[in-house]
Amino acid sequence: MKSLIWDEEHECASREQIEKWQLEGLKRTVNRMWLRVAPYRAKMEAAGIVPEKIKVLSDLQYLPFMVKDDLRQAYPFGLFAEPQENVVRLHASSGTTGKPIVVGYTQNDLNMWTDLVARMVTQASVGKGDTAQVAFGYGLFTGGFGLHYGLERVGATVIPISGGNTEKQLMLMQDFGTTALIATPSYALYLGEQAEQMGFDLSKSKLRVGLFGGEPWTDEMRGQIEKKLHILATDNYGLSEVLGCGIAGECPLALGHHIAEDHFIVETINSSTGEILEPGNEGELVFTSLDKECCPVIRFRTKDISVIDQSPCACGRTTARMKKVTGRVDDMLIIRGVNVFPSQVEAVLLTIPGIGSQYQLHVYRRNYLDELEVHVELSDSSLLDRYSELEDLARLIENKLYTVLSVHCKIRLVEPLSIERTPGKAKRVVDHRKEK
Ligand code: DLL
């Protein structure tokens, strides 16, 4: 498997060099925010910090955090550091309720974004000669357009099919000879299931690699995708508020996602106290942009949980790597005082034979107590008629989940393919506690 380096100067620089770029970029960004973004300047003033105080990289710690709510309150353009005539593109976060978070890009921002996506797809081994099917939604979501331009930049043939229309996806995949699939992992798995149902033999197709991102997924799910689609499945990470896709992605060694540290400073913090953690400790990822023009961010709290590793990778890159995101701080369910992440449930479920690949957690409050009900698809519907086997399977799942979670869950086994699939991000948790 080839793993080329797109930009050796920046991807393989010494730590000393990276930190030099970071300090210069940090000073630039702090000045820009101070002069052009009044709500952030007010935060700095409240914290008693002025741009001149930023002298060394560790002075970052004195700068106030930015959170999603700051961006929401500034809807739509309140945190833009550029006048409208310099803004050439708008995207928005994928939140389902209320007003979205809007992000703008200048032409320089778009050029940088395209470079970073080109870097990310190159490290996942995609380049000239590949045919890349972009099954992310094109629109306000950054996935479609972000991947699109980066793939064109490396010279791949891009199929901008967007999300959904699964039959057509499979048809074009065969007829156009797609070699790289770009999608959310949950949609990739659905494509695999549908291919099986429709009698498409993906082992005979040209598909060889997947670039998946946009939602958390476990290594167990990676295994299932690789088996069903007969490909190498790589993960990449990003978020609209910081840039979109292209912030970090895996090389084929899959030893963590290489972070574009020449454009972003990454920190991990204790989510409850805000305390900065040393690399190697699990915490909430926090990003600072170094050269974004329209929507710079300083210490943006992502709520995503991961671990940073600053040691160089065997592939030759020296930028810090982040472990696969295990979940979001706000995805964490607290069931009778115990913390439960959907990813823990996924990791258990996908090792049990006889069940399908989709699941959903339903949380109820009954008699003032939280209850977790896990809906799990069977892989074979004939089991639904064999009650004792069904009961045995449910008990097995419950016991295995209890071992990992220390919480008793109710297991509901449902028909194959009956849990809703979406072309975008999967809905893993349905919280009924807020319902009347
Ligand atoms: O999902 C950007 C993106 C598009 C990344 C395509 C990768 C590929 P948002 O819609 O703003 O942006 O959602 C960002 O999605 O804070 C994470 O919680 C989650 N997320 C994104 N990628 C991953 C990943 C895009 N690889 C939010 N693993 C982030 C885990 C991810 N979670």
Side-chain angles (χ1 to χ4, degrees):
M1 167 68 57
K2 59 181 175 166
S3 165
L4 300 174
I5 291 179
W6 174 254
D7 176 358
E8 192 166 344
E9 183 193 347
H10 293 99
E11 292 180 68
C12 307
S14 65
R15 180 111 317 257
E16 199 187 350
Q17 178 63 65
I18 294 173
E19 291 185 355
K20 189 164 170 275
W21 286 325
Q22 291 187 329
L23 179 60
E24 286 163 9
L26 176 63
K27 287 182 176 172
R28 256 193 319 269
T29 300
V30 170
N31 270 315
R32 172 170 278 271
M33 295 289 264
W34 178 261
L35 296 173
R36 300 183 178 214
V37 185
Y40 193 77
R41 182 186 178 131
K43 273 197 182 215
M44 284 176 66
E45 282 169 343
I49 179 142
V50 291
E52 296 70 43
K53 271 206 183 165
I54 305 297
K55 293 204 161 54
V56 291
L57 206 49
S58 58
D59 290 338
L60 180 64
Q61 65 182 308
Y62 304 118
L63 289 161
F65 290 117
M66 287 172 76
V67 294
K68 238 180 211 299
D69 246 9
D70 296 329
L71 278 75
R72 212 171 268 128
Q73 278 164 20
Y75 177 86
F77 310 139
L79 292 179
F80 281 19
E82 288 287 334
Q84 186 264 326
E85 66 262 30
N86 295 341
V87 181
V88 294
R89 177 99 65 81
L90 296 171
H91 280 283
S93 73
S94 51
T96 45
T97 50
K99 302 256 192 197
I101 284 165
V102 183
V103 279
Y105 302 77
T106 63
Q107 190 56 55
N108 284 336
D109 289 336
L110 288 186
N111 295 345
M112 183 267 278
W113 188 17
T114 300
D115 275 344
L116 290 192
V117 177
R119 186 190 284 193
M120 184 265 278
V121 304
T122 305
Q123 71 196 12
S125 83
V126 174
K128 202 169 170 59
D130 274 301
T131 300
Q133 185 160 336
V134 181
F136 277 136
Y138 279 66
L140 291 175
F141 177 52
T142 58
F145 282 102
L147 262 304
H148 181 102
Y149 289 110
L151 285 160
E152 281 188 355
R153 171 71 63 89
V154 300
T157 307
V158 180
I159 312 174
I161 185 165
S162 196
N165 207 341
T166 306
E167 265 181 49
K168 195 164 175 186
Q169 299 268 2
L170 291 169
M171 184 183 84
L172 298 193
M173 193 178 277
Q174 288 219 319
D175 296 347
F176 292 1
T178 301
T179 57
L181 174 65
I182 323 297
T184 54
S186 56
Y187 189 59
L189 200 51
Y190 180 54
L191 275 171
E193 287 168 356
Q194 287 302 103
E196 261 170 24
Q197 296 249 314
M198 290 163 58
F200 279 104
D201 184 354
L202 288 177
S203 71
K204 299 209 171 73
S205 78
K206 290 193 173 157
L207 197 63
R208 64 171 187 87
V209 61
L211 272 67
F212 304 128
E215 63 184 2
W217 54 308
T218 56
D219 278 327
E220 285 73 14
M221 185 157 166
R222 188 202 301 265
Q224 290 228 349
I225 294 177
E226 291 190 330
K227 209 162 91 200
K228 269 201 191 344
L229 277 75
H230 303 272
I231 57 171
L232 170 84
T234 65
D235 189 10
N236 62 85
Y237 167 86
L239 65 166
S240 329
E241 295 88 342
V242 176
L243 179 72
C245 52
I247 293 169
E250 285 178 335
C251 67
L253 299 177
L255 298 171
H257 303 45
H258 295 276
I259 302 170
E261 270 196 299
D262 49 330
H263 292 276
F264 300 99
I265 301 173
V266 61
E267 300 170 90
T268 31
I269 59 164
N270 174 322
S271 199
S272 324
T273 62
E275 173 209 352
I276 300 171
L277 302 174
E278 286 297 314
N281 294 295
E282 187 174 81
E284 179 181 345
L285 294 173
V286 174
F287 285 96
T288 298
S289 67
L290 303 178
D291 40 27
K292 276 178 76 189
E293 291 181 339
C294 184
C295 291
V297 282
I298 294 181
R299 306 194 83 199
F300 180 76
R301 293 185 60 158
T302 63
K303 298 206 169 179
D304 294 321
I305 300 159
S306 180
V307 181
I308 299 296
D309 176 357
Q310 285 189 338
S311 66
C313 179
C315 74
R317 292 178 181 83
T318 51
T319 43
R321 285 166 287 153
M322 53 179 264
K323 266 200 185 153
K324 228 168 173 333
V325 169
T326 45
R328 290 179 55 78
V329 179
D330 49 7
D331 257 3
M332 185 180 80
L333 297 166
I334 303 181
I335 308 292
R336 303 188 183 196
V338 180
N339 301 349
V340 175
F341 282 102
S343 59
Q344 294 174 296
V345 176
E346 180 176 301
V348 172
L349 292 180
L350 298 189
T351 58
I352 301 175
I355 62 178
S357 48
Q358 297 292 336
Y359 65 94
Q360 211 164 44
L361 311 188
H362 290 253
V363 191
Y364 297 92
R365 179 155 298 147
R366 291 182 179 127
N367 298 326
Y368 306 103
L369 286 176
D370 292 331
E371 283 183 8
L372 178 59
E373 193 172 288
V374 184
H375 292 196
V376 184
E377 277 182 3
L378 293 167
S379 57
D380 170 10
S381 59
S382 69
L383 200 67
L384 284 167
D385 304 324
R386 305 204 293 274
Y387 288 112
S388 71
E389 280 178 53
L390 209 57
E391 272 183 14
D392 288 347
L393 180 58
R395 202 168 308 117
L396 174 77
I397 300 172
E398 195 199 326
N399 290 339
K400 286 207 168 197
L401 282 176
Y402 184 74
T403 317
V404 173
L405 308 176
S406 309
V407 162
H408 285 290
C409 327
K410 206 167 149 187
I411 308 300
R412 201 158 129 201
L413 294 166
V414 299
E415 291 255 16
L417 302 181
S418 62
I419 293 176
E420 192 196 353
R421 268 84 172 146
T422 69
K425 306 187 185 213
K427 189 168 171 60
R428 299 296 191 202
V429 178
V430 185
D431 195 339
H432 300 273
R433 288 175 296 190
K434 291 164 200 128
E435 293 166 5
K436 289 247 165 95

